[in-house]
Amino acid sequence: MRDETKCLHSGYTPKNGEPRVMPIVQSTTYVFDSTERIGELFDMPTAHMYSRFSNPTVEVVEKKIADLEGGVGAMCTSAGQAASMISIMNLCKSGDSFVSTSTIYGGTVNLFAVTLKKFGVECIFVDADASEEELMAAIKPNTKAVFGETLANPALAVLDIEKLAKVAHANNIPLIIDNTFATPILCKPFDFGADIVVHSTSKYMDGHALQIGGVIVDSGKFDWTNGKFPEFTEPDESYHGVVYTRDFGAAAYIVKARMQLMRDLGCYPAANSAFLLNLGLETLPIRMKQYCENGLKVAKYFKENDKIESVSYAALEGDKYYELAKKYLPDGVCGVVTIVMKGGKKAALQFMNGLKLASNEVHVADIRTCVLHPASATHRQLTDEQLVAAGINPGLIRFSVGLENVEDILEDIKQSLDKVEI
Ligand SMILES: *Cc1c(COP(=O)(O)O)cnc(C)c1O
């Protein structure tokens, strides 16, 4: 099946007389006819036992997203943040480190630099545009993973995934990619060597600003038996001696994430949320196509306006990431356009406050056009140095182009820009 078909059919095939759409299975638990059967399930989780870590409605979405990314399995989480956290905690324990590019979502910077540090896990930040040699030099003997974002939020830098995969694999560690902005419709990181993909499904996948969510997808390709990951190859005493690589083969990573971390943390989405997420996924391919079309028109409009200092949109010829975008995002680079206003923060805020159709909100990648000033919102907690490293200028605006008629979006931009004094 191709993506459009997968979005409609993957994950659920109703049998004779069953509902056309997977129902919302609103139940914390499941009934079995014997204690022996429950005992067997604890040995081999082949059925749903408890909705803290699996549920039939959520499973449909997990299978659909795994299929779209080309992975062997997926696990949904109650937020993108939980997906990023579990993706790392499934590999690192206290005393370990991992490498991350610095041009990533502000919330992830905070999670990695502050919260994981409190757990004794060190994040080594690197410049995504650094050479292979420089990246190699950042990796230490206790480094267990490399992390990056396909399309960095909000700098819109395109990641050279193959370069990072090469560096990670030369060190026998996996590459984790946050593919939120691209979605599997625009880029499939596994095709370029990534081993694990995470998403905030709160953005384009849900698409309608309905519910927060995340997902982790396992490519099934990484060799966990290479000696660096004893937790995968030695018995897990917290789970009556399971050996993940022996018992679950290619799905070792995602099963371990569910049976250890989701079991203990419980940040699993509700069935109702997964049902809504599934609705969003059904139309993802056609929506992404339109976002890319609208995004490019808006980016071009900004580019020609003399009140705008710079536009970051990798599908624009001349953009710093144009060549990388041609390789990794040949069908378009989503609907998020980043601009820097002349006149800095003051002009940026004046432009944003003057918009009538586009709304000011803490969101991005929504079906409705919205804008955000990262330096005073999502990235507020970062120091000036971190802001620069994350590619954020005080006059920078993240303009998330929606699916309104693009002429209405352009007219709104025009009327507000006309009023900005520089
Ligand atoms: C929003 C976002 C996250 C965090 O996801 P939540 O669902 O808000 O927890 C992570 N990565 C990227 C790229 C994001 O845009």
Side-chain angles (χ1 to χ4, degrees):
M1 289 193 287
R2 291 161 184 83
D3 285 351
E4 293 80 357
T5 317
K6 285 180 182 175
C7 281
L8 296 169
H9 294 281
S10 283
Y12 178 62
T13 311
K15 297 189 198 73
N16 196 23
E18 285 183 351
R20 171 65 271 184
V21 175
M22 180 64 187
I24 301 169
V25 179
Q26 189 71 49
S27 182
T28 56
T29 191
Y30 310 86
V31 176
F32 300 98
D33 54 12
S34 71
T35 48
E36 286 76 19
R37 178 69 188 125
I38 293 182
E40 280 167 22
L41 286 178
F42 271 83
D43 283 338
M44 187 54 83
T46 51
H48 301 284
M49 282 185 279
Y50 193 53
S51 295
R52 193 205 301 135
F53 48 82
S54 75
N55 169 281
T57 312
V58 185
E59 186 184 32
V60 168
V61 173
E62 292 173 339
K63 286 185 169 163
K64 186 172 282 186
I65 296 174
D67 215 11
L68 280 169
E69 287 286 7
V72 293
M75 179 176 76
C76 285
T77 58
S78 55
Q81 288 295 92
S84 301
M85 182 188 68
I86 289 180
S87 75
I88 297 293
M89 296 304 276
N90 205 28
L91 301 171
C92 296
K93 59 183 186 319
S94 177
D96 286 340
S97 68
F98 66 103
V99 164
S100 171
T101 60
S102 49
T103 33
I104 54 173
Y105 173 66
T108 315
V109 173
N110 209 61
L111 168 68
F112 287 177
V114 181
T115 301
L116 287 185
K117 193 173 171 190
K118 289 185 196 162
F119 295 159
V121 175
E122 181 200 5
C123 179
I124 304 160
F125 285 102
V126 294
D127 178 353
D129 298 332
S131 69
E132 244 171 77
E133 293 68 36
E134 288 169 303
L135 293 169
M136 286 283 189
I139 292 177
K140 302 198 284 195
N142 70 356
T143 300
K144 295 293 168 66
V146 176
F147 187 99
E149 255 173 53
T150 317
L151 254 174
N153 174 4
L156 293 186
V158 179
L159 190 69
D160 190 346
I161 299 173
E162 279 183 350
K163 177 177 72 178
L164 260 74
K166 210 165 146 198
V167 170
H169 296 160
N171 288 280
N172 292 320
I173 55 177
L175 173 63
I176 305 172
I177 293 292
D178 182 336
N179 198 32
T180 298
F181 271 23
T183 82
I185 305 305
L186 300 181
C187 177
K188 295 192 199 305
F190 294 157
D191 292 349
F192 300 103
D195 303 288
I196 307 294
V197 158
V198 296
H199 286 276
S200 164
T201 61
S202 322
K203 313 296 164 53
Y204 286 121
M205 282 189 169
D206 164 63
H208 298 75
L210 291 182
Q211 91 263 262
I212 300 294
V215 69
I216 307 175
V217 192
D218 182 355
S219 70
K221 288 187 200 147
F222 192 80
D223 177 15
W224 305 106
T225 65
N226 67 19
K228 280 224 159 177
F229 299 93
E231 274 201 32
F232 285 74
T233 55
E234 289 169 12
D236 176 0
E237 296 312 334
S238 82
Y239 190 29
H240 49 78
V242 154
V243 175
Y244 292 101
T245 46
R246 181 194 67 197
D247 300 347
F248 300 105
Y253 176 92
I254 203 72
V255 173
K256 179 175 173 292
R258 190 184 300 272
M259 299 321 291
Q260 283 185 338
L261 291 165
M262 193 55 88
R263 173 197 67 187
D264 290 358
L265 300 173
C267 42
Y268 201 62
N272 194 62
S273 298
F275 183 85
L276 293 172
L277 175 55
N278 189 50
L279 271 184
L281 287 168
E282 289 184 335
T283 57
L284 186 64
I286 48 172
R287 284 189 291 110
M288 291 315 293
K289 195 165 173 240
Q290 193 64 41
Y291 280 119
C292 292
E293 238 181 85
N294 285 6
L296 184 60
K297 284 185 185 154
V298 168
K300 282 183 172 158
Y301 184 87
F302 279 132
K303 187 92 194 164
E304 280 156 23
N305 193 289
D306 58 10
K307 289 182 180 168
I308 309 291
E309 187 176 299
S310 65
V311 180
S312 297
Y313 191 74
L316 276 183
E317 227 166 309
D319 188 273
K320 185 177 172 196
Y321 296 100
Y322 184 72
E323 291 303 322
L324 281 175
K326 270 209 291 201
K327 172 172 178 179
Y328 292 106
L329 300 147
D331 297 328
V333 302
C334 86
V336 185
V337 181
T338 299
I339 56 169
V340 174
M341 295 282 301
K342 283 182 186 161
K345 181 173 174 177
K346 187 169 158 276
L349 297 183
Q350 202 183 356
F351 167 61
M352 290 171 67
N353 290 335
L355 290 165
K356 290 179 176 159
L357 179 66
S359 45
N360 281 284
E361 54 189 76
V362 183
H363 197 32
V364 63
D366 184 16
I367 200 157
R368 288 155 284 255
T369 298
C370 59
V371 285
L372 184 96
H373 186 240
S376 54
T378 45
H379 291 65
R380 196 180 180 86
Q381 71 279 17
L382 303 191
T383 62
D384 287 353
E385 261 178 359
Q386 285 175 317
L387 278 176
V388 172
I392 294 153
N393 177 300
L396 184 144
I397 298 171
R398 190 178 69 189
F399 198 99
S400 177
V401 180
L403 298 188
E404 297 92 347
N405 187 302
V406 72
E407 295 307 325
D408 290 328
I409 302 172
L410 294 174
E411 276 171 25
D412 188 33
I413 293 171
K414 180 176 186 313
Q415 65 80 23
S416 188
L417 275 180
D418 283 349
K419 290 184 293 195
V420 173
E421 296 144 20
I422 293 174

